[in-house]
Amino acid sequence: MDASFVMTNTAQTAYSQSILGHSIYTKWRGSTVETLQVLSQSSKDPMLSDLYHHLMIIFHIPLKSLCTVAGWTATEDAILATKKELYKWMVDNPQAARKTLLHGAILFKSLRSRPLITYSEAHELLVATLTIWTYTSLHPSRSEDTLTGPKIYLDRHMTDDQERSWILSPNGDSPLYISGVGCILNDSAAVRVLLEAKNCFTRKSHPWGIYHQIMTVFEVMASSGTAISLDQF
């Protein structure tokens, strides 16, 4: 092959970034999101709604970053660097972080409300769980008795005004709740979300191999705080 057609990793990265930053791509992505949102709201098929929330999460946080911060197939240096990147993103873009958390909570609720039978549902539960876990792990912990604001249930229906109000100007003293997990701002929330996600796979789920693999990841993370020991899994 002619050397001129062979890209280095650096060139590939620069090329990808140039595409992602192009106005045509931005418009296409925006149109795709709007279309999925309309379809998910008008359809009674939960899988279509799940797909929408799944995509909205990875538009903001790539799955690779979620797996890295969890320690799955990652080095300690990569974990630390990714934690710093995501924490900076949460601080610099709090509205995007809260919106992503909201998508994760809604997706988590949808998946835990029914038996899981498809291969894609395993990936969706992985993404939803790691999104909530990452937010909980990086957000300063608060005991519930110090959270005196009105309770906010992230996975329950909010009006557009309520959702917009929380995303744009949240009450920092409000406890945030997710069904099956409880308040996600206290010290033990990260472990609880992992254990609840693991339980989702045991409730009459189809025995896909990926289900058992992700269950093991959640178990190890819950017991040790990281999946780094599963690098070769």
Side-chain angles (χ1 to χ4, degrees):
M1 181 180 291
D2 192 296
S4 63
F5 288 95
V6 180
M7 287 188 177
T8 64
N9 288 336
T10 302
Q12 288 176 340
T13 300
Y15 180 69
S16 298
Q17 290 176 342
S18 68
I19 292 177
L20 295 177
H22 198 284
S23 60
I24 293 178
Y25 173 81
T26 302
K27 291 178 181 178
W28 170 82
R29 186 175 114 165
S31 298
T32 301
V33 170
E34 290 176 2
T35 301
L36 280 172
Q37 184 175 21
V38 170
L39 289 174
S40 68
Q41 291 173 344
S42 60
S43 173
K44 295 182 179 180
D45 184 354
M47 290 189 176
L48 186 57
S49 176
D50 292 348
L51 174 62
Y52 165 67
H53 293 296
H54 182 190
L55 290 178
M56 290 306 298
I57 291 171
I58 61 176
F59 276 163
H60 289 292
I61 310 177
L63 177 58
K64 179 176 176 58
S65 295
L66 290 172
C67 290
T68 298
V69 78
W72 193 11
T73 65
T75 64
E76 292 185 4
D77 288 343
I79 294 170
L80 181 59
T82 305
K83 280 185 177 180
K84 289 181 178 179
E85 289 175 4
L86 289 179
Y87 180 77
K88 185 177 186 303
W89 173 72
M90 288 173 60
V91 172
D92 294 345
N93 303 278
Q95 295 174 10
R98 287 190 287 270
K99 189 178 295 185
T100 304
L101 173 64
L102 190 60
H103 285 294
I106 295 171
L107 179 57
F108 189 82
K109 177 187 179 181
S110 175
L111 294 168
R112 71 181 291 272
S113 68
R114 65 179 190 270
L116 306 180
I117 59 175
T118 68
Y119 189 88
S120 62
E121 286 173 320
H123 288 275
E124 290 169 346
L125 184 57
L126 174 67
V127 168
T129 302
L130 292 184
T131 298
I132 299 167
W133 179 86
T134 298
Y135 188 94
T136 299
S137 299
L138 298 181
H139 192 282
S141 63
R142 297 273 302 273
S143 60
E144 287 188 63
D145 57 1
T146 67
L147 297 168
T148 57
K151 295 180 180 179
I152 296 176
Y153 294 88
L154 297 175
D155 57 349
R156 296 184 185 178
H157 176 72
M158 294 188 197
T159 66
D160 290 342
D161 287 342
Q162 289 172 329
E163 182 178 315
R164 190 179 304 109
S165 175
W166 179 71
I167 290 173
L168 296 179
S169 55
N171 182 337
D173 288 327
S174 288
L176 306 179
Y177 285 86
I178 294 177
S179 300
V181 179
C183 179
I184 66 168
L185 298 181
N186 55 36
D187 289 334
S188 60
V191 172
R192 292 198 308 273
V193 70
L194 292 169
L195 295 179
E196 179 59 25
K198 172 183 170 291
N199 289 338
C200 291
F201 283 121
T202 64
R203 297 174 188 151
K204 301 180 181 178
S205 296
H206 188 88
W208 290 96
I210 189 68
Y211 283 27
H212 299 294
Q213 186 176 12
I214 295 176
M215 280 175 60
T216 301
V217 171
F218 290 161
E219 287 176 350
V220 172
M221 289 177 65
S223 63
S224 64
T226 179
I228 196 168
S229 62
L230 297 177
D231 276 356
Q232 303 302 318
F233 184 36

